Amino acid sequence: MKTIKVSIDSYTKIQNFTRIVNEFPNDFDLVQGRYVINAKSTMGILSLDISKPIYLNIRDAGSQINEILALLEPYTVEEEESL
């Protein structure tokens, strides 16, 4: 499993994001606090606080992980370092 932090803070970004993840057979979960949402569901994403970055778990990507990460790069948020 690979976890990245993403920002999908507008309806247009949500539409494009779900279009990308639906191209793959893998399971994609968005995690915010105690909520885990199917990342392929526009309605599910809208139930989250999209004004804040969200963690994306990519399951069983195998050899497709580099392609997935490249397509999701516009949504990726860099992790902030802790002091």
Side-chain angles (χ1 to χ4, degrees), residues 1-56:
M1 180 174 76
K2 174 77 173 170
T3 301
I4 61 173
K5 199 178 208 181
V6 296
S7 175
I8 43 179
D9 57 359
S10 72
Y11 187 71
T12 302
K13 286 183 180 180
I14 292 170
Q15 288 178 310
N16 293 330
F17 178 85
T18 56
R19 181 188 48 77
I20 291 168
V21 296
N22 275 296
E23 292 177 10
F24 298 94
N26 313 75
D27 289 332
F28 295 86
D29 298 321
L30 288 169
V31 180
Q32 191 174 57
R34 62 184 181 141
Y35 298 102
V36 179
I37 303 297
N38 180 353
K40 294 182 178 185
S41 167
T42 300
M43 293 300 290
I45 295 172
L46 289 172
S47 71
L48 299 174
D49 179 1
I50 62 171
S51 69
K52 299 177 183 175
I54 305 166
Y55 288 98
L56 173 67

